[in-house]
Amino acid sequence: MLCFQDLGRKRKEKEEEAVGPDFETWSSKRGEILARFTTTEKLSIVSRKAPSPGSSAVSEKVRTRLEELDDLEEGSQKELLNLSQQEYANRIEELNQSLKEAWASDQKVKALKIVIQCSKLLSDTSVIQFYPSKFVLITDILDTFGRLVYDRIWTMCSDPRPLTDSFTVEDVNDTAKETCLNWFFKIASIRELLPRLYVEAAILKCNRFLNKCGIPETLPRLTAMIRGIGDPLVAAYARAYLCRVGMEVAPHLKDSLNRNFFDLLGTFRQVSSDSVQNQLVLQRVEVPEYLTLYSPAVNWILQCIAYRAPEPLLTEMTERCKKLGNNALLLNSVMRAFRPEFVAARATDFIGMIKDCDEAGFPKHLLFGALGRSLACADPPESERLTILNEAWKVITKVCSPQDYVICAEIWVEFTCRHFSKREVNTVLADVIKHMTPDRAFEDAYPQLQSVIRKILTYFHDFSLLFSMERFLPFLDMFQKDSVRVEVCRSIMDIFIRHQEEPSRDPVILNAMLHICKTMHDSVNALTLEDEKRSLALLIIGFIRMVSFGRDFEQQLSFCVEARATFCNLESVLVQLIHTVNQLAMETSRVMRGNHSRKTAAFVRACAAYSFITIPSLSSIFSRLSLYLLSGQVALANQCLSQADAFLKAAVSLLPEVPRSISVEGKLRSSESFLMDFINNFLATLLVVPDHPEHGVLYLVRGLLNMVQDYTWEDNSDAKVRVYISALPLLAAMSQETYLYSIPKVDSNETLYGGDPKFLSEINKLSETLIGQILDHLKALGRDEVSTRRQGALAFSLFGVLLAHGDLRNNKLSQLAVNLWNLSHKYGHCETRVSVRTLECMKHQAQQADMTHLSDTVQRLALQSRT
């Protein structure tokens, strides 16, 4: 007996008990089974009451248990007829909930009755195509019952302290043991074999509370009980359930798994029996379809046996297949259950066995599908790969059903991509198109066709190679449903952006990618969410950035023109195109400097025209403003003065249209800070922009300030005055003999006016006007005590400008600076630390020979405490 084995063996078994993450759980298969085994036939749920036993046949105690089980509540004997598959599933779920509710309300007998009645449903094969799905639904209830019973007994053992996971029988108290035994006695009293078997299997784990040897003794007994089930399909699933609970509680007991498997092999001859054949005729089910119903059960049993099994076991299994006359059902499960590398090493042998299988039995394309799954994960010998592909495709291409064909073809596409060139992949794609185009069969196979694309993209990252496949783009044409088509295009673009290492000018790639990007762009409509638009735009922008024609700048500009027409509905793409064209203009100027200057200038003007035409189509006003300014700077850098002038004037004329609030990430925010940033950037650019000979002195500066004057700012806003303060450093810089910065080959106002007194006079007049406006605003703020903080901040800002850019040797200006200092500190709002550092800086500057006049000013500045 296992319980008397030596300690070393026990330790080894304990290590094997835990099933690792590499074991594919039953729950992962559940959804696939429910989706695959469906029916349109009407289903029924029947509760039947068995006759009461005679009093002489059983003891009083047993009879009491039987009466409890047979005393069904009113309504439980109803026969629910003509249920659809979904209604049937809903009813089973209702029973599952009823079980939990009965248990929660301490109606344990009622809970057991529900489980028994559900187990009885597994003897019904009247709609045989649905049986695997029925098994999944019913065993969910059995699993729930098993957990409830085990957790109940576990809880009873928690006094005085909870049990550990490694508890022994000695840790279980007598009350828990008695309760556990009572459950097993109740179950043993169930007269019908199938429910008794299933319910006891459901609480198999509870044997841990009673006996060290309970589980290893019970498994062989339950295995033997299954031999009494006459229907081979019902018996197969009963074995699958027993193996499932066995793997959960004692995965090391391989003998039980093997016995179930060998018993299963013995039942295969029943498939040809009169009872089974008559049933198939009655339900109009063909033998191949019937055999596929066994797949989930046989696959599971073999998976349990093959888990971490040595390679020789596969050899033994293949020999058994041969002895059974190459039983295709078993062969299919063997290939699915064993490790892919074991199967791949014997791929040629498996193909031979598949060819020997009877075509009228289990479908051969399913066998090749099982083999293909293994070969997608492990490589067969290199010398055999082409033969394997040819043999497999000979069978696959003969499959008549488009759905069956595409399921199998999709599996083998990965093997083809993994080991062969574009020629073989192109041949496979052509075959798929040939099978899926008639009667628009592709419309029912989008998931499989999408999988084909994903697998090709996994192995082919060279897009010149990919698009040179004759059948690749025609394959994409099968995606007629808009949402699916766009999703496929997105997946292609994502791979392209991630794996295209260098910019391309390959016309094959560009034409194909433009087509794909246009498909994504054209899917955008009024109902498209902003996140979706943003996502699509990022992919298209990624493509645009990967296009480069080298020094063929005209071709690059032509591409941008075409892209503008193609992607006109995505604003962020248009913004990227404008940036690209501006970069192109700068690059052209850099590369062609000194050569073909006339041709270069013409090209830069063409780039400027592109931007000037495109910018007005943007809806975002700040995008327009920033791009007008950027394009003007680029034009200026390339000595295109009239174009620069046009851009800058367009930006100034656009300022009145700026709204007072804008949407940022779905929330309304004041536009003031954005507008201020733009104006400051604009002012910095104006230093190097020469005046237009026909528009007068400082015409752009005056135009900007006039727009600022007329703009409707927010109530209680100091933004306008802050712009005036920001303009003063610009005017100071313009009055210098040599400007702080300049643009090569562009004559700024320093050159045009050469320190002309009239020009300097205009600057001084404008500066005085601005200072006057600022002081009027400060005076207005002084009338309101609430505005004293704003007044102090503005006064200190203006003081800083005068200190940095003004000539404080001028007594009038010096006195203004002192007044501003005092005003900023009048109400104690000025930051003391900043004030101290400012004074220290002034004292340091006063030590310079040409700045001694600052000493007098510093002595007149005093710090005041905050009030």
Side-chain angles (χ1 to χ4, degrees), residues 43 101 107 112 157 253 304 391 489 561-562 642 753 795 859:
L43 305 164
E101 292 168 5
Q107 299 181 61
L112 180 58
C157 301
L253 297 179
C304 296
E391 292 295 335
C489 291
V561 171
E562 183 181 358
S642 60
Y753 295 108
Q859 291 175 3

Side-chain angles (χ1 to χ4, degrees), residues 728 767-776 778-779 794-803 806-824 857 860-861:
L728 290 173
S767 299
E768 289 175 2
T769 301
L770 292 178
I771 292 173
Q773 293 273 0
I774 297 168
L775 294 177
D776 289 345
L778 291 174
K779 187 175 180 180
L794 288 172
F796 195 78
S797 294
L798 182 55
F799 171 82
V801 168
L802 295 181
L803 180 63
D807 184 0
L808 296 188
R809 286 172 294 192
N810 183 305
N811 292 333
K812 188 176 180 181
L813 202 59
S814 176
Q815 183 59 48
L816 176 60
V818 172
N819 293 342
L820 289 169
W821 173 275
N822 293 334
L823 181 61
S824 65
T857 306
R860 299 164 64 189
L861 304 180

Side-chain angles (χ1 to χ4, degrees), residues 75-86:
S76 63
Q77 298 183 64
K78 285 196 303 184
E79 181 175 9
L80 301 178
L81 302 173
N82 296 323
L83 299 177
S84 68
Q85 179 178 323
Q86 186 58 51

